[in-house]
Amino acid sequence: MKLKKSLGQNFLKDSFYLDKIISSSQIDATENVIEIGPGDGALTNLILHNSKSLTAYEIDNRFSEFLKERFSKTNFQVVNKDFLTVDLNDVISGQIIMGNLPYNVSSQIILKIIEANLDYKHCIFLIQKELANRFIVGPKSSKISIQSQVFCDIEALFDIPPEAFDPAPKVNSAVIKITPHNKYESYFSKYENLKKILAICFANPRKKISSALKNFDMDMAKFSFDLNSRPEELEITDFFEILIHYEGQI
Ligand code: SAM
């Protein structure tokens, strides 16, 4: 089959890394799994052998038809759909979610799942390394890492080199684990306002936070963090402080 670059069709072929993804996923014979972008089914095959059931979402009907034939098992179903159009309320109920995600829509898929804030166990995703670094909490914050932290912890598990794929992508990849938490439950209902605050704060990530906040009318001395800091130096609790102070002004 001719692979489509526009759908991020770089298939993971190296069995060492395929096995490593499975062993880090904590799936067993009691788990129901959702896979996003199964492609020709290398990971799908291993998930099926190690889980109770698997529902896979594949946008390319050539592969969804191929997989229907390849795995005609009762505990497998493949849905020929763009995952970004799926109503997650209808599909997520306690599963583990996995996938070697198409690079061009990885962040949209991850944010869709995280922001839906539904009952999934955890996600194991293979994504571009550069994007993984933006999601993970490190010495520097990003808009996307603060947004994610409201709902979950994200950790980097291991890297995968381009040679492990066919065709080989031009970039490095990493496997991440996303585990939902309720640590910041009291902020769930304020999430849309938090996103507006983050958009203002990260408009110029290298400028001081005092400059980003200059259009708000209030006594800045009340903040517990240093106003000379750059947005990327602040933590999620600092952004909660900003949200509480300025919520009425956005
Ligand atoms: N799972 C296979 C593997 O590990 O080798 C294939 C992974 S490949 C990086 C990404 C797969 O996602 C492709 O099969 C592609 O057709 C599919 N895909 C791309 N965009 C999608 C979307 N929006 N919804 C569902 N599947 C998508």
Side-chain angles (χ1 to χ4, degrees):
M1 256 183 258
K2 194 171 182 311
L3 299 181
K4 294 184 183 169
K5 212 175 166 189
S6 61
L7 294 178
Q9 292 179 340
N10 299 90
F11 292 167
L12 182 60
K13 293 294 172 196
D14 190 318
S15 60
F16 172 79
Y17 290 108
L18 284 161
D19 287 339
K20 208 167 168 182
I21 291 174
I22 293 296
S23 55
S24 62
S25 70
Q26 296 168 286
I27 54 173
D28 61 37
T30 66
E31 299 290 355
N32 298 307
V33 180
I34 293 174
E35 186 187 5
I36 303 166
D40 64 356
L43 195 58
T44 317
N45 185 33
L46 294 175
I47 297 172
L48 263 174
H49 279 101
N50 289 282
S51 65
K52 184 176 170 195
S53 76
L54 172 59
T55 303
Y57 291 86
E58 173 55 60
I59 198 169
D60 187 334
N61 74 319
R62 299 171 307 163
F63 285 112
S64 56
E65 288 307 310
F66 169 78
L67 292 177
K68 269 181 205 160
E69 297 220 346
R70 181 171 174 192
F71 306 115
S72 53
K73 293 185 178 181
T74 51
N75 62 345
F76 174 70
Q77 63 161 328
V78 57
V79 181
N80 176 214
K81 227 173 174 179
D82 176 349
F83 188 76
L84 290 171
T85 66
V86 172
D87 184 347
L88 296 187
N89 290 296
D90 297 338
V91 303
I92 295 189
S93 59
Q95 300 98 329
I96 291 173
I97 308 175
M98 299 181 65
N100 170 10
L101 299 184
Y103 286 153
N104 51 338
V105 285
S106 300
S107 60
Q108 288 173 66
I109 290 175
I110 294 173
L111 283 173
K112 178 180 165 112
I113 294 169
I114 289 176
E115 291 179 337
N117 199 18
L118 295 164
D119 170 34
Y120 60 95
K121 281 205 170 148
H122 54 261
C123 305
I124 300 287
F125 288 140
L126 169 47
I127 59 175
Q128 193 175 336
K129 170 119 174 120
E130 194 197 317
L131 180 65
N133 289 340
R134 282 175 49 215
F135 268 108
I136 284 154
V137 181
K140 284 186 180 173
S141 297
S142 71
K143 187 167 168 281
I144 230 172
S145 78
I146 300 291
Q147 281 179 227
S148 312
Q149 281 173 69
V150 175
F151 303 105
C152 59
D153 294 318
I154 304 189
E155 58 185 309
L157 299 183
F158 52 89
D159 292 350
I160 303 191
E163 313 82 75
F165 299 82
D166 186 22
K170 289 197 175 71
V171 294
N172 286 315
S173 303
V175 175
I176 60 166
K177 180 176 182 184
I178 301 174
T179 311
H181 63 61
N182 287 326
K183 242 182 333 206
Y184 301 123
E185 200 172 359
S186 56
Y187 288 93
F188 289 169
S189 61
K190 298 177 187 289
Y191 181 64
E192 288 307 314
N193 281 343
L194 177 69
K195 280 209 290 192
K196 288 182 193 161
I197 290 287
L198 293 173
I200 294 167
C201 293
F202 280 98
N204 288 301
R206 287 179 209 293
K207 282 199 177 165
K208 290 178 185 173
I209 191 71
S210 54
S211 145
L213 301 179
K214 67 178 187 299
N215 290 334
F216 287 113
D217 168 26
M218 80 149 281
D219 175 8
M220 286 196 174
K222 282 182 189 158
F223 290 111
S224 66
F225 54 85
D226 181 358
L227 282 162
N228 290 318
S229 313
R230 314 209 180 276
E232 57 190 18
E233 293 167 333
L234 299 185
E235 297 180 2
I236 188 168
T237 47
D238 300 324
F239 290 105
F240 287 156
E241 261 189 64
I242 298 174
L243 174 67
I244 288 162
H245 285 317
Y246 293 143
E247 210 171 10
Q249 295 178 43
I250 48 175

